[in-house]
Amino acid sequence: MLNRLDHFLLNPPPLPQLSGWRRGVVEFLFFGLKEARSCLFAGLFFGMVLLVPRSGLFSWHRYDVLLAGALLIQALMLLLKLESLDELKAVCLFHVLGFGLEVFKTSGHIASWSYPDAGWSKLFGVPLFAGFMYAAVGSYILQAWYLFGLRFRHHPPYWMATLVALLIYANFFTHHYIMDFRGYLAMLIIGLYARATVIFRPYDRERSMPLLLSFVLIGFFIWLAENISTFLHIWAYPHQLGGWSAVHVGKWGSWSLLVIMTFTIITHLQHHRRSVHVPE
């Protein structure tokens, strides 16, 4: 079924006379369908977050149910060839990097947030499913790359982009001990990606937008999902322990930085590099 859907999205029925507002509507609908399909892993995982009760299921804690569900979804994506082995390796890397960050952020001397509920699959106070939340971001970018036929113009040199990605990840840790460099990193990123453009195909014509804008938009939707997750008590920030309140809007910027780091890792996959133009 998914193969037929993908074939339909990648080979839409030709409508050569389509123009004006009708074309706008059709392209918007196809854009939405491709976005929804790209969010397959994230959507199914988030669906479990919404549906699994806090008390768990079948004598399993909620965190353990979420881990089992995430592993099943990942296995099905590989079995159905929705992800290649190389892409799976990248997704696993996202999981490891995300879980390492979670362990640090939830540690007793940092306590940026916490996972208040019980679970057999908690390690160092962090449920193992947490890494899949980061992997879901990588999975979305990988699927969107394929479905939208993404191409990138004026991408910065790989060594520069990689260095910035490393600095982003390092700053998530070091800002607790030294100055927070997110503002400086943001200015560096704006300069580095100022000319970068992402070219995508929602229907039958290529469209383009600033790559920086796409990072910010993806970060925004992750921030919205984080608000819903904390409302459902999946995890909690210190200011939410007495009662729920919105996640600080500054986290939107943090998620956007994480998207840049994730995107940079994916550009190092050999068959994805063919779509990335780096000016000489």
Side-chain angles (χ1 to χ4, degrees):
M1 180 177 177
L2 278 175
N3 289 334
R4 281 185 289 177
L5 174 61
D6 288 355
H7 184 269
F8 172 72
L9 293 175
L10 292 168
N11 303 277
L15 297 172
Q17 305 303 318
L18 198 62
S19 62
W21 67 269
R22 291 181 178 85
R23 168 168 287 279
V25 170
V26 170
E27 291 205 13
F28 180 77
L29 289 174
F30 267 81
F31 179 84
L33 285 171
K34 288 187 176 183
E35 282 288 326
R37 167 60 182 82
S38 299
C39 291
L40 179 63
F41 183 98
L44 291 174
F45 183 80
F46 193 65
M48 289 193 301
V49 168
L50 292 174
L51 295 175
V52 175
R54 191 172 185 181
S55 57
L57 288 172
F58 311 115
S59 300
W60 281 37
H61 300 295
R62 175 169 60 167
Y63 293 159
D64 305 315
V65 175
L66 293 177
L67 174 61
L71 288 170
L72 178 61
I73 296 168
Q74 188 62 74
L76 287 174
M77 292 194 70
L78 187 62
L79 183 65
L80 297 174
K81 298 182 178 180
L82 300 176
E83 286 179 355
S84 68
L85 282 175
D86 281 346
E87 290 171 340
L88 178 62
K89 292 175 185 177
V91 168
C92 290
L93 178 59
F94 303 142
H95 189 289
V96 171
L97 293 174
F99 187 79
L101 182 61
E102 290 279 334
V103 170
F104 175 78
K105 292 287 191 178
T106 59
S107 59
H109 64 292
I110 301 297
S112 294
W113 59 81
S114 62
Y115 290 88
D117 295 342
W120 298 313
S121 57
K122 291 178 78 171
L123 185 63
F124 304 113
V126 178
L128 290 175
F129 83 83
F132 281 103
M133 295 186 292
Y134 298 84
V137 179
S139 178
Y140 161 75
I141 295 175
L142 287 166
Q143 296 295 313
W145 201 305
Y146 164 66
L147 290 167
F148 284 97
L150 298 184
R151 295 190 295 115
F152 303 90
R153 302 287 297 174
H154 302 296
H155 185 278
Y158 284 108
W159 73 266
M160 290 185 182
T162 302
L163 177 60
V164 168
L166 290 171
L167 291 174
I168 289 171
Y169 190 66
N171 189 70
F172 286 131
F173 296 86
T174 59
H175 83 85
H176 291 283
Y177 306 105
I178 59 176
M179 178 179 173
D180 188 349
F181 290 99
R182 269 180 296 184
Y184 295 100
L185 284 171
M187 289 188 288
L188 177 60
I189 289 165
I190 290 171
L192 198 61
Y193 287 90
R195 298 178 60 212
T197 303
V198 55
I199 301 167
F200 58 100
R201 185 186 292 268
Y203 181 57
D204 61 346
R205 295 180 184 177
E206 289 189 330
R207 306 295 181 184
S208 64
M209 67 184 297
L211 183 56
L212 279 173
L213 178 58
S214 69
F215 293 151
V216 172
L217 289 175
I218 296 171
F220 174 73
F221 284 103
I222 298 173
W223 176 74
L224 287 181
E226 183 179 35
N227 273 280
I228 296 173
S229 297
T230 56
F231 179 77
L232 296 172
H233 306 287
I234 299 295
W235 68 92
Y237 289 96
H239 72 279
Q240 296 173 324
L241 295 177
W244 184 84
S245 61
V247 177
H248 191 277
V249 72
K251 294 293 182 182
W252 176 5
S254 298
W255 281 114
S256 298
L257 290 174
L258 189 83
V259 170
I260 294 172
M261 189 186 82
T262 304
F263 170 77
T264 302
I265 293 173
I266 292 174
T267 61
H268 283 278
L269 294 175
Q270 192 63 37
H271 61 288
H272 287 75
R273 280 200 175 197
R274 294 193 293 266
S275 307
V276 180
H277 165 255
V278 179
E280 297 182 1

